[in-house]
Amino acid sequence: EAKRNGRNKAQFYRPEFSQKTQEKVVLGQALRQAIDHREFSLVFQPKCRLGNGHLVGVEALLRWRHPTLGLLLPDRFIRVAEHSGQIVEIGRWVLESACKAIVRFNKNRAHPITVAVNISPKQITTGALTGHIRQALEASGCRPAWLEIEITEGILLQDSKSVQETLSTISSMGVSIAVDDFGTGHSALAYIDRFPINVVKIDRSFTMSIDRDRRKAALVRAFVSLADALDLSVVAEGVENSEQVRLLRRFGCEIGQGYFYSKPMSAPALARRYGLLRGRAVRPRRTAPPE
Ligand code: C2E
Ligand code: MG
Ligand code: MG
Ligand code: MG
């Protein structure tokens, strides 16, 4: 591929791949200081009951304010961090920050909400995750039941003893486990039964099509009934319109996340919008504020 590009382009044009490689090196170096320089932050996206729009939890999503490149989304840097192994320390920071935030949100709340944290496979395979979760819970006073981790199907397909043990330990601590982007991987559904899974999050690529594509809708309906049969709860991600809400409810899905309810927002914005710091639940508005 590199050779083909090289042959067809003049020498002074850098082929695509080397720009990408360069960016990776630059970002990799900048990542080293990002935690110490307080360049990371979390935004929180509501998960709402599809029936009445009530807030049931939030997903913590990582943002990186790079000193010169500005605000970067995870798609730009998570892979770099995974490749270099820095994701383990970054993931630890995310766990600690998310736990601290949820403790503040749930203060004086009659019905506590949960916080979901995305976990990279590397955090599991290096063996660091269990300890990091325990420390994050202890340091913040977060109840295990308030924390949920989101993992991807890929890690479950490895089906190794150590993955199984790690997830069992985390589950026995009282932290719940969600399978993120469900339906996009090599969905070997058998894994669901071998691991202590509590939640499946149906990928946005399904949710966004159910109002236009009968086959996708049929798949979502099947996912939901499978989940019901296995006593799992289902979250639909990427809910963007009321027709999707109507169909999801008809299929028996109870919880949704997406721009229809809210874009991800900062902790203070979330607290203002949902009255979290005053300890009362507020019905969400429909319009999403800017991120
Ligand atoms: P994800 O876990 O599937 O998170 C959902 C992503 O979809 C978020 O993008 C969110 O902003 C976006 N989204 C939510 N609702 C809608 C919608 O209605 N329409 C559309 N078009 N998009 C929607 P974001 O924040 O850019 O994160 C992208 C991915 O990066 C996440 O996908 C997750 O896999 C990863 N990620 C985010 N934070 C972390 C982290 O702290 N650690 C790790 N390891 N990965 C993270
Ligand atoms: Mg997620
Ligand atoms: Mg997801
Ligand atoms: Mg996704």
Side-chain angles (χ1 to χ4, degrees):
E1 172 76 347
K3 269 192 185 152
R4 223 186 311 135
N5 285 342
R7 226 179 288 139
N8 295 338
K9 286 178 182 169
Q11 279 307 309
F12 46 81
Y13 278 108
R14 282 176 308 188
E16 248 289 285
F17 83 91
S18 88
Q19 266 183 33
K20 281 227 174 93
T21 306
Q22 224 176 353
E23 180 177 279
K24 267 189 207 158
V25 172
V26 170
L27 289 182
Q29 282 164 353
L31 272 174
R32 267 184 238 150
Q33 296 149 32
I35 292 181
D36 288 344
H37 292 184
R38 297 171 171 273
E39 290 165 10
F40 288 123
S41 60
L42 294 180
V43 287
F44 299 90
Q45 187 177 34
K47 287 192 277 185
C48 298
R49 204 161 281 289
L50 291 168
N52 55 19
H54 286 177
L55 183 71
V56 294
V58 293
E59 177 175 6
L61 296 160
L62 186 58
R63 298 291 180 264
W64 180 18
R65 193 167 290 283
H66 185 281
T68 54
L69 297 173
L71 189 68
L72 303 182
L73 296 174
D75 289 342
R76 191 90 178 270
F77 63 86
I78 289 286
R79 230 186 287 251
V80 181
E82 279 173 342
H83 193 73
S84 66
Q86 289 160 309
I87 192 66
V88 178
E89 272 313 300
I90 296 169
R92 177 186 204 171
W93 180 89
V94 172
L95 279 164
E96 281 173 0
S97 308
C99 286
K100 274 187 214 151
I102 205 66
V103 166
R104 282 196 300 272
F105 290 150
N106 281 341
K107 206 170 178 191
N108 309 318
R109 245 181 100 81
H111 302 284
I113 60 169
T114 56
V115 67
V117 171
N118 291 284
I119 300 295
S120 153
K122 239 193 181 140
Q123 292 172 269
I124 298 177
T125 54
T126 54
L129 184 61
T130 314
H132 288 175
I133 289 176
R134 202 172 273 129
Q135 285 159 10
L137 293 174
E138 263 169 32
S140 61
C142 176
R143 300 209 188 145
W146 295 349
L147 179 64
E148 181 171 295
I149 58 166
E150 295 190 3
I151 58 175
T152 50
E153 286 167 298
I155 188 77
L156 301 179
L157 293 174
Q158 291 188 8
D159 194 25
S160 73
K161 254 249 127 42
S162 75
V163 171
Q164 196 140 14
E165 278 169 11
T166 300
L167 295 182
S168 296
T169 306
I170 291 166
S171 182
S172 66
M173 288 163 64
V175 171
S176 60
I177 302 176
V179 178
D180 204 355
D181 302 333
F182 183 77
T184 56
H186 305 279
S187 300
L189 288 177
Y191 70 70
I192 288 276
D193 222 31
R194 285 200 296 269
F195 295 93
I197 306 296
N198 308 98
V199 181
V200 291
K201 294 190 77 178
I202 295 177
D203 190 65
R204 183 169 85 227
S205 60
F206 292 93
T207 309
M208 66 187 264
S209 313
I210 56 171
D211 48 337
R212 296 179 266 121
D213 181 341
R214 295 173 63 98
R215 301 180 65 88
K216 282 268 165 53
L219 281 171
V220 169
R221 197 166 46 204
F223 290 161
V224 175
S225 58
L226 175 78
D228 272 349
L230 296 173
D231 269 331
L232 303 169
S233 63
V234 185
V235 177
E237 58 176 38
V239 179
E240 292 187 353
N241 63 52
S242 57
E243 179 62 7
Q244 292 163 353
V245 172
R246 194 182 67 78
L247 288 167
L248 286 164
R249 289 187 66 194
R250 210 168 76 192
F251 299 161
C253 179
E254 291 180 350
I255 296 167
Q257 177 182 347
Y259 297 168
F260 177 73
Y261 294 105
S262 171
K263 287 196 168 173
M265 49 192 157
S266 69
L270 184 80
R272 269 197 304 280
R273 172 129 167 233
Y274 290 94
L276 291 177
L277 297 182
R278 279 165 282 132
R280 61 189 175 86
V282 173
R283 247 182 104 90
R285 294 190 315 265
R286 282 256 208 78
T287 44
E291 195 167 332

